[in-house]
Amino acid sequence: MPALLVLAPIFLAALSLYHFIIQPVFLSPLAKIPTAHPTAAFSPLWLLWVRYRARENKTLYAAHSRLGPVVRIAPNEVSVCCQENGVKVIYGKGWEKPQWHEAFENFGVPNLFSTRWSGPHAIRKRRISNIFSKSYLHSSADFAALVRTIIYDRYLPLISGHAARRELVNVVELNYSAMMDVASAYLLGLPNSSNFLQDVELRRNWLKGYRSRIPHMFWIYYLPNFTTWAANRLGINFVPSYVDDVTADIEAWCMGLCNKAEASIAAAGGKEVKPGDTPVAYRQLKSAWEQERKKEGKEITPDVMQSGRLEVASEMLDDLVAAHETSGITMTYVLWELSRDLSLQNRLHKELVTLDPSTSFSINTPSLPPPKAVDSLPLLDAILMETLRRHSSLQGPLHRVTPPNATLGPYSGLPANVVVHANAYTLHRNPEIFPDPEKYWPDRWFEEDGDAGRKETWLWSFGSGGRMCVGSHLAILCMFAPTHTVLAFVLVANEGKIAMKHIISAIYRNYTTRIVDDEGIEQEDGFIVGPRGNKLVLVFEPRK
């Protein structure tokens, strides 16, 4: 018995040494992959500390610069920065998502982004992907009408008033608001949507509440089970209770918009309504959900209907949050870069004056140029592409898990369920694809001989593969609109079809912009990242 008491601890120590050190460091199929940190092969603590301090993107970029396209960053986690046996296979072959994505559920219900498995994800995507296609948006009377209203009746009049009074404008808040209004109007119809551009108190309270959650998301994203256990068993709350309160308020706000959209559909009774008033996405998503239930032979009981309402609302909130933040950030950095370079503004203005109808704000009855005309402006397109590269709003890793016998880069025979990901911050700084990657240089997108197409392959602002952002075309169209609006005091004349391109054209057709205060303009480090100081103060000067 004494011998057993002596041998048992030794055996347990040896077993632990083998399981936690020898096997992952020397015997695991991942052992052949270079590690970003001396402890990365046997402990996740280093990576957790990097994420807690909000330094993940820059740390991964530095690791890839030192060690190559495939790097082990934790015992069961790998980062990649290559296309072949990398991005193309991870995101193009339907590799499944890990638990991390569940943190993005709303109302406790999955949505397109949070859905982990490729089968259910494909079903959700089929419900709405067509209404976010480029061809649909270009021909949509609803989208044209709502963009025109938001640009010419809300955004440009605000800019015009500030310019006339020579007031300074924090465009960060304004851009978030414009993109929330565009997204909610397309999803839910203009009468049922937000009006953040004109309702200053509501937008500031909403944005303040939303941003108050960000410092605490580490615990929700990366240690959800531990965080719940610590709160329930130890009474230690790593996430303050007000985060749950703010989340509940945001969900209630979204459900209110959905209820208005539901009422508007009922009031229309199947009849045509004024362009812009149709809740395009809500109506299609609800209809698709009902058709699926009928095919299953399910009776639409009140409980089933409530489940469907939550499912639709979860999708709406996911789209609203993503659209206002990612597109608002991109618009902000378009304005910042243009405001730093008057010669670039003048080149863009020269291009914008060729649009017909004109986007001049002086026109009494503004109408938008044809979407294809705006899309075909080469400098405008290059400016957006370079902004998406240099200042991508979605910079953090998009997590997936390996299937059995996976290959990453030159490393084959990898086991199943290894967390693997790429990130835009690193991909966009590949010097072989983007020489002098820290330089903002729109002209790089004019290069021919196949380089432009190669660059677009590496541009990863919306992800890639079957689960890339379905709203990428909406986002691009909306981003172009605001910039047009700023530069074009005169863009009031455009009928808003391509929101983003039209806003940009409108602004710079009519104004020049100058920086007054850009302290803290450097981007944060995280998943979706805006200016660290949450401000960019500009002055708008009408063109003569």
Side-chain angles (χ1 to χ4, degrees):
M1 191 66 168
L4 183 60
L5 293 176
V6 172
L7 291 175
I10 296 175
F11 174 78
L12 290 175
L15 187 62
S16 298
L17 180 65
Y18 173 83
H19 182 75
F20 292 108
I21 304 294
I22 295 175
Q23 197 280 334
V25 175
F26 300 106
L27 304 180
S28 167
L30 302 181
K32 51 195 171 185
I33 300 175
T35 55
H37 187 269
T39 65
F42 62 87
S43 172
L45 293 179
W46 167 78
L47 181 59
L48 288 171
W49 179 243
V50 167
R51 286 170 170 163
Y52 179 75
R53 299 177 69 197
R55 295 184 179 180
E56 181 175 13
N57 298 332
K58 291 180 176 61
T59 300
L60 294 182
Y61 173 61
H64 282 291
S65 298
R66 288 186 294 110
L67 301 169
V70 182
V71 179
R72 190 181 186 186
I73 58 176
N76 198 49
E77 189 163 343
V78 174
S79 176
V80 303
C81 180
C82 57
Q83 291 290 333
E84 301 301 327
N85 289 330
V87 170
K88 288 183 180 180
V89 65
I90 296 168
Y91 303 97
K93 298 297 184 181
W95 289 15
E96 305 292 7
K97 299 176 181 178
Q99 183 187 7
W100 179 81
H101 281 263
E102 294 179 356
F104 294 88
E105 291 182 352
N106 302 309
F107 303 96
V109 175
N111 50 62
L112 190 61
F113 185 78
S114 70
T115 299
R116 293 179 59 183
W117 313 115
S118 54
H121 184 277
I123 292 172
R124 292 179 187 277
K125 185 176 180 179
R126 279 197 300 270
R127 293 173 181 171
I128 58 173
S129 59
N130 70 301
I131 61 173
F132 289 103
S133 70
K134 191 173 185 178
S135 59
Y136 188 97
L137 290 166
H138 276 185
S139 61
S140 170
D142 286 298
F143 188 59
L146 69 90
V147 170
R148 187 207 168 282
T149 296
I150 290 168
I151 291 177
Y152 296 117
D153 296 348
R154 300 182 192 178
Y155 196 99
L156 282 178
L158 283 175
I159 297 300
S160 174
H162 288 307
R165 296 185 294 271
R166 298 183 179 181
E167 293 174 343
L168 308 183
V169 183
N170 180 5
V171 296
V172 174
E173 183 178 301
L174 207 61
N175 290 334
Y176 284 146
S177 301
M179 296 318 304
M180 178 64 85
D181 288 356
V182 169
S184 62
Y186 188 64
L187 295 173
L188 300 152
L190 264 172
N192 317 308
S193 65
S194 67
N195 187 358
F196 280 12
L197 281 170
Q198 295 178 328
D199 193 335
V200 178
E201 182 178 2
L202 175 60
R203 84 169 181 233
R204 288 183 175 168
N205 288 337
W206 196 98
L207 291 171
K208 180 181 178 182
Y210 179 79
R211 285 189 59 82
S212 72
R213 306 185 310 165
I214 294 174
H216 310 288
M217 297 310 291
F218 163 82
W219 301 101
I220 297 171
Y221 287 163
Y222 300 110
L223 293 171
N225 297 332
F226 170 78
T227 301
T228 301
W229 176 83
N232 294 339
R233 295 296 184 89
L234 304 179
I236 300 174
N237 293 302
F238 291 100
V239 179
S241 59
Y242 74 79
V243 172
D244 290 335
D245 295 338
V246 169
T247 299
D249 288 344
I250 291 174
E251 290 181 342
W253 167 81
C254 177
M255 184 59 77
L257 300 185
C258 291
N259 290 340
K260 290 171 66 177
E262 183 71 28
S264 72
I265 292 173
K271 297 179 181 179
E272 291 292 324
V273 297
K274 185 172 66 175
D277 288 1
T278 304
V280 176
Y282 182 91
R283 183 181 64 179
Q284 172 146 326
L285 187 57
K286 180 191 175 190
S287 175
W289 181 87
E290 291 175 345
Q291 291 300 319
E292 289 167 12
R293 302 294 80 76
K294 289 179 181 178
K295 286 183 180 180
E296 294 170 354
K298 279 191 175 181
E299 180 185 357
I300 308 297
T301 64
D303 287 344
V304 172
M305 182 60 72
Q306 175 63 11
S307 173
R309 289 181 70 247
L310 291 176
E311 193 170 329
V312 173
S314 179
E315 204 68 65
M316 294 297 99
L317 183 52
D318 182 62
D319 293 345
L320 290 172
V321 168
H324 98 275
E325 195 168 21
T326 56
S327 299
I329 290 167
T330 302
M331 284 170 51
T332 293
Y333 282 103
V334 168
L335 296 181
W336 183 60
E337 291 289 1
L338 283 167
S339 299
R340 299 170 72 198
D341 189 342
L342 182 59
S343 65
L344 185 58
Q345 288 189 49
N346 289 335
R347 286 175 61 194
L348 179 58
H349 179 263
K350 185 177 179 179
E351 184 175 81
L352 294 174
V353 297
T354 66
L355 287 172
D356 184 23
S358 170
T359 57
S360 172
F361 193 57
S362 61
I363 296 176
N364 293 328
T365 307
S367 59
L368 296 174
K372 289 185 179 179
V374 178
D375 267 346
S376 65
L377 295 176
L379 181 57
L380 177 59
D381 190 65
I383 288 169
L384 178 64
M385 297 290 275
E386 183 67 352
T387 305
L388 288 169
R389 183 200 70 83
R390 180 59 182 81
H391 302 290
S392 176
S393 56
L394 199 164
Q395 293 189 358
L398 286 170
H399 300 230
R400 297 291 187 269
V401 292
T402 57
N405 197 33
T407 297
L408 294 174
Y411 306 104
S412 59
L414 304 181
N417 297 317
V418 175
V419 176
V420 60
H421 46 69
N423 71 87
Y425 185 91
T426 301
L427 292 169
H428 291 179
R429 284 164 174 75
N430 184 337
E432 295 181 6
I433 308 299
F434 305 107
D436 196 2
E438 295 299 329
K439 179 181 179 180
Y440 183 85
W441 185 41
D443 287 352
R444 75 171 77 239
W445 295 93
F446 294 139
E447 296 177 359
E448 298 179 356
D449 69 17
D451 277 353
R454 190 162 169 245
K455 289 183 178 69
E456 289 182 13
T457 299
W458 283 77
L459 188 69
W460 214 58
S461 300
F462 300 106
S464 60
R467 304 203 212 180
M468 71 177 289
C469 174
V470 294
S472 59
H473 294 302
L474 174 64
I476 289 174
L477 300 185
C478 295
M479 274 190 275
F480 274 135
T483 3
H484 284 336
T485 304
V486 171
L487 209 149
F489 173 13
V490 183
L491 176 73
V492 164
N494 273 277
E495 263 186 28
K497 206 172 197 178
I498 306 176
M500 234 157 58
K501 282 190 175 180
H502 280 302
I503 293 178
I504 297 176
S505 353
I507 292 173
Y508 288 98
R509 170 63 178 79
N510 297 279
Y511 298 94
T512 58
T513 57
R514 181 168 49 83
I515 295 172
V516 176
D517 184 0
D518 64 351
E519 183 180 359
I521 194 63
E522 65 277 3
Q523 284 181 277
E524 298 169 302
D525 191 314
F527 185 56
I528 296 177
V529 290
R532 192 172 299 277
N534 198 37
K535 68 177 179 181
L536 171 60
V537 180
L538 303 180
V539 62
F540 292 79
E541 298 171 343
R543 281 191 175 268
K544 299 178 181 179

